[in-house]
Amino acid sequence: MGTLISIRDLRKSYGTFAVLHGIDLDIAEGEVVCVIGPSGSGKSTLIRCINHLEGFSAESAITVDGIKVQPGAALARVRAEVGMVFQSFNLFPHMTVLRNVMLAPIRVRNAAPAEAEAKARDLLARVGIAEQAEKYPGQLSGGQQQRVAIARALAMEPKVLLFDEPTSALDPEMVGEVLDVMKKLAGTGVTMVVVTHEMGFARQVADRVIFMDGGRIVESGTPADIFDTPRHERTRSFLRAVLNH
């Protein structure tokens, strides 16, 4: 499997406050990577830089499938290959669920409406909410809305899916239904980068777990490496706190 995402010396500051300190990271095609760490460690900023939702320092370099991530014409090509699922669902409230999923393929990929609709219905079935197609987002639960957001991201047939804490805004009883959809996705070979507080999900689904703190990657490895035999005391103390050990 080749490298799909390459990140070199990624630096990001807000004024004098440095959020990311020279991150180097390669993500392979088909790899599922979970990024864990305390709030404020730079996890969300890292993945938002991948599709340039956050700008970054001029000396930093990110490529997605060989395309350099930078402002300009190439950015639209990058964003067409990168699906993003946010904490808040970011659905269009005035459009039905079906229209939300159809919109980008029609607008960006020039898909025929009938083809876009058939595909959208397939994707809604895949995430378990085919029967909600004609409803509006406000009529759905948070878990259902997030599943619509996943279907919408998949509609563009992206090379990589980025998830920014996709369950953190959900009621606890709805978390499982979204994680179940993500587990199924992880088994399909799509490349996924998931910022998450769900340690059980990271342990079960990730090929690689990255622990971040203070804008740096402290360590990365297999789920067994990170959860069972972490090398760094900072990782151990974080896991003790979140796993109540």
Side-chain angles (χ1 to χ4, degrees):
M1 292 280 193
T3 298
L4 186 64
I5 300 170
S6 170
I7 298 172
R8 290 289 172 274
D9 195 27
L10 180 58
R11 297 173 184 276
K12 166 74 181 177
S13 297
Y14 296 108
T16 57
F17 178 66
V19 186
L20 297 175
H21 301 271
I23 294 218
D24 292 313
L25 179 62
D26 286 326
I27 294 168
E29 195 178 336
E31 191 175 17
V32 178
V33 176
C34 285
V35 186
I36 64 171
S39 294
S41 59
K43 309 181 298 294
S44 291
T45 305
L46 168 64
I47 68 162
R48 289 171 67 86
C49 286
I50 293 173
N51 58 359
H52 213 276
L53 289 177
E54 298 274 2
F56 44 84
S57 299
E59 71 267 26
S60 307
I62 301 177
T63 59
V64 176
D65 200 21
I67 307 167
K68 192 167 184 191
V69 177
Q70 58 190 6
L75 191 54
R77 286 169 57 209
V78 169
R79 287 182 173 164
E81 304 294 354
V82 178
M84 182 109 187
V85 179
F86 301 89
Q87 287 182 36
S88 52
F89 324 117
N90 290 11
L91 300 172
F92 293 113
H94 63 289
M95 288 185 184
T96 63
V97 164
L98 185 65
R99 295 292 304 173
N100 265 281
V101 180
M102 289 170 61
L103 185 66
I106 291 172
R107 287 254 179 102
V108 181
R109 297 234 194 262
N110 297 315
E115 176 196 342
E117 178 177 343
K119 185 168 175 194
R121 290 188 185 278
D122 280 349
L123 288 168
L124 291 170
R126 193 166 153 194
V127 299
I129 48 172
E131 72 288 353
Q132 309 294 344
E134 308 306 333
K135 289 188 179 172
Y136 289 87
Q139 297 173 282
L140 304 187
S141 71
Q144 288 171 328
Q145 289 188 62
Q146 192 61 294
R147 287 189 278 163
V148 175
I150 293 171
R152 182 183 57 182
L154 287 170
M156 287 291 287
E157 297 181 0
K159 295 242 170 74
V160 58
L161 280 171
L162 307 177
F163 293 86
D164 186 5
E165 298 187 13
T167 59
S168 64
L170 298 177
D171 292 335
E173 68 267 24
M174 291 173 190
V175 169
E177 67 190 57
V178 173
L179 292 180
D180 284 346
V181 169
M182 291 170 64
K183 283 174 193 167
K184 286 190 188 118
L185 274 181
T188 65
V190 65
T191 309
M192 293 169 58
V193 186
V194 185
V195 172
T196 186
H197 293 295
E198 300 293 335
M199 299 300 140
F201 173 83
R203 181 190 276 274
Q204 187 180 351
V205 176
D207 298 307
R208 183 163 39 134
V209 176
I210 291 170
F211 172 67
M212 286 183 68
D213 188 38
R216 293 181 169 85
I217 292 176
V218 177
E219 63 179 305
S220 78
T222 65
D225 292 336
I226 300 300
F227 291 109
D228 299 335
T229 55
R231 297 190 307 279
H232 289 265
E233 174 52 35
R234 181 67 191 95
T235 316
R236 290 193 285 271
S237 66
F238 170 77
L239 290 172
R240 275 197 301 272
V242 297
L243 300 173
N244 299 318
H245 284 173

